C-alpha cells in the first residue's frame, strides 16, 4: 500500500512536533455497533517514546478505540497511520502489521500447553523467521527482563496471574514492537501482582517504548504516563499532561470523573 504522507505530521516543517517522530496518527475515528456510535471523532497523535494513559468510565469506548488503533476493528470514519504508513481507513480492511504493534489484554491468553519460554519464542520463529535456538535465547533474555528468569520453563498453570501477564508482555516484546498497546493489563490481578506488572510497564516506558495503556490504575497514570486521554461516550473529552487532568481539568466531565475516582 502506498505510504500516506498526510499521516506523517513530522514532515510539517517548523512545528515543535517536527522534532519528535510520530508513531501513530488517528484522524476522525468512528466506529459503531448496531447503529450505536461507540467511538466518535477521535483524533490522536502519539509521538515516539510517549506513554499515554487512556482513562474513562466503563462503556466509554476505550477498548474499542484501542482496537481501532491496532487495526483490529474496521472503521466507519477516519483513518489510522502507523509509522508514516496507512494502517486502517474507513471502508477498507485494516492492513496487518503483525507484531509491530504489540497488544496485551486483561486476559493473558497464553498457550496453556507451552512453557513460558515456548510462549515467548513461538511467534519470532513463525513470523520473524528467527531460528529456534535464537528465539529461545531471546525469550530467555526477555523473561529475565520481566523478572521471570527462574520461571522460564514453567507452564502457565504453574504461574501466578502477575507472572502470566509478564510472560504475555515478554511475548509481545519478542516481536520487537514499535508501539505497545495495553488494555487494562492489571484488572484481573490482585494488588500485589498488579504492582509487579506495573513495574515492568514502568521499565518499558523508561526504556523509551511508545505505549498506550487503558487503565484504572490512577497511581500509574499520574506517575508514569506523560499524557492522559480522558474518554466518555466514545469521545476524547480531554487530552493533556497527567498532572493537568488530575488537578486542573478544563472540562466538568473530566473533573467529575477524577473527583469521584480520587475520592473513593
Ligand atoms: N462487539 C460488540 N458488539 C456490540 N457492542 C459492543 C461490542 N463491543 C463493545 N460494544 C459496546 O460498545 C461500548 C463501548 O465498549 P468498550 O468495550 O469499548 O468500552 P470500555 O470503555 O472499554 O469499557 P470498560 O471500561 O468496561 O472496559 C459499550 O456500550 C459496549 O457495550
Ligand atoms: Mg474496556
Amino acid at each position: 500500500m502506498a505510504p500516506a504522507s498526510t499521516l506523517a505530521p513530522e514532515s510539517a516543517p517548523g512545528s515543535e512536533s517536527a522534532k519528535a517522530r510520530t508513531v501513530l496518527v488517528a484522524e476522525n475515528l468512528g466506529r459503531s455497533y448496531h447503529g450505536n456510535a461507540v467511538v466518535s471523532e477521535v483524533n490522536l497523535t502519539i509521538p515516539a517514546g510517549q506513554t499515554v494513559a487512556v482513562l474513562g468510565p466503563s462503556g466509554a469506548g476505550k477498548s474499542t478505540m484501542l482496537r481501532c488503533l491496532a487495526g483490529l476493528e474496521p472503521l466507519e470514519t477516519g483513518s489510522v497511520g502507523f509509522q508514516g504508513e496507512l494502517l486502517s481507513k474507513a471502508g477498507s480492511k485494516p492492513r496487518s502489521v503483525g507484531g509491530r504493534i504489540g497488544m496485551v489484554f486483561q486476559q493473558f491468553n497464553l498457550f496453556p500447553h507451552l512453557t513460558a519460554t515456548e510462549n515467548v519464542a513461538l511467534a519470532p520463529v513463525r513470523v520473524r523467521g528467527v531460528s529456534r535456538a535464537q528465539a529461545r535465547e531471546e525469550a530467555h533474555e526477555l523473561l529475565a527482563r520481566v523478572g521471570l528468569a527462574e520461571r522460564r520453563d514453567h507452564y502457565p498453570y504453574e504461574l501466578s496471574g502477575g507472572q502470566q501477564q509478564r510472560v504475555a508482555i515478554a511475548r509481545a516484546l519478542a516481536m520487537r514492537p514499535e508501539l505497545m498497546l495495553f488494555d487494562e493489563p492489571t484488572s484481573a490481578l490482585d494488588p500485589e501482582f498488579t504492582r509487579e506488572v506495573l513495574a515492568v510497564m514502568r521499565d518499558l516506558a523508561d526504556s523509551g517504548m511508545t505505549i498506550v495503556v487503558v487503565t484504572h490504575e490512577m497511581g500509574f497514570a499520574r506517575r508514569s504516563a506523560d499524557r492522559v486521554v480522558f474518554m466518555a461516550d466514545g469521545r476524547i473529552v480531554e487530552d493533556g499532561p497527567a498532572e493537568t487532568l488530575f488537578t486542573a481539568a478544563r472540562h466538568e466531565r473530566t473533573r467529575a470523573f477524577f473527583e469521584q475516582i480520587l475520592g473513593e
Side-chain angles (χ1 to χ4, degrees):
M1 200 169 286
S5 57
T6 55
L7 295 172
E10 72 269 25
S11 62
S15 70
E16 192 51 35
S17 65
K19 292 185 193 118
R21 200 168 49 79
T22 299
V23 171
L24 193 97
V25 184
E27 285 176 341
N28 191 34
L29 294 191
R31 173 79 171 120
S32 59
Y33 291 117
H34 316 298
N36 297 318
V38 170
V39 169
S40 306
E41 297 173 27
V42 161
N43 293 295
L44 200 59
T45 298
I46 316 278
Q50 198 168 65
T51 295
V52 181
V54 179
L55 309 181
S58 183
K62 305 181 297 295
S63 296
T64 307
M65 181 191 75
L66 206 67
R67 288 200 305 272
C68 289
L69 299 182
L72 298 174
E73 292 268 340
L75 301 176
E76 268 141 45
T77 66
S79 63
V80 178
F82 173 61
Q83 300 287 41
E85 292 174 37
L86 189 65
L87 169 68
S88 184
K89 174 165 143 306
S92 48
K93 203 164 161 273
R95 197 165 64 91
S96 169
V97 290
R100 289 174 63 201
I101 299 180
M103 285 216 69
V104 174
F105 302 93
Q106 183 176 338
Q107 301 307 329
F108 328 121
N109 300 320
L110 298 178
F111 296 108
H113 59 292
L114 299 181
T115 65
T117 298
E118 289 164 351
N119 264 283
V120 176
L122 190 67
V125 171
R126 290 202 178 160
V127 184
R128 277 177 49 217
V130 172
S131 74
R132 288 177 65 89
Q134 193 190 331
R136 287 184 73 82
E137 195 176 311
E138 287 180 15
H140 289 161
E141 281 166 22
L142 285 167
L143 288 167
R145 182 169 166 196
V146 300
L148 291 174
E150 312 291 310
R151 311 263 176 214
R152 66 194 199 187
D153 297 321
H154 288 229
Y155 287 89
Y157 72 87
E158 299 173 311
L159 299 170
S160 72
Q163 290 167 343
Q164 290 184 56
Q165 190 60 300
R166 285 182 283 151
V167 175
I169 294 171
R171 182 176 59 176
L173 294 177
M175 291 301 287
R176 310 221 172 139
E178 293 145 56
L179 169 68
M180 283 287 287
L181 304 178
F182 293 86
D183 193 357
E184 300 200 26
T186 61
S187 292
L189 303 176
D190 291 337
E192 59 179 307
F193 301 129
T194 293
R195 271 197 299 279
E196 56 195 34
V197 170
L198 293 178
V200 165
M201 291 171 60
R202 176 80 201 235
D203 279 352
L204 206 54
D206 289 345
S207 78
M209 178 62 78
T210 311
I211 296 172
V212 180
V213 52
V214 174
T215 185
H216 292 296
E217 291 294 331
M218 295 299 141
F220 180 83
R222 194 164 185 171
R223 284 189 293 275
S224 301
D226 301 302
R227 174 176 165 199
V228 167
V229 167
F230 174 68
M231 277 186 87
D233 299 328
R235 292 167 190 274
I236 293 179
V237 176
E238 201 156 344
D239 176 353
E243 209 45 39
T244 305
L245 267 81
F246 273 87
T247 60
R250 277 180 298 127
H251 293 266
E252 177 52 35
R253 187 83 200 254
T254 320
R255 282 200 295 271
F257 175 80
F258 283 107
E259 272 164 25
Q260 198 218 327
I261 292 271
L262 299 174
E264 271 173 8

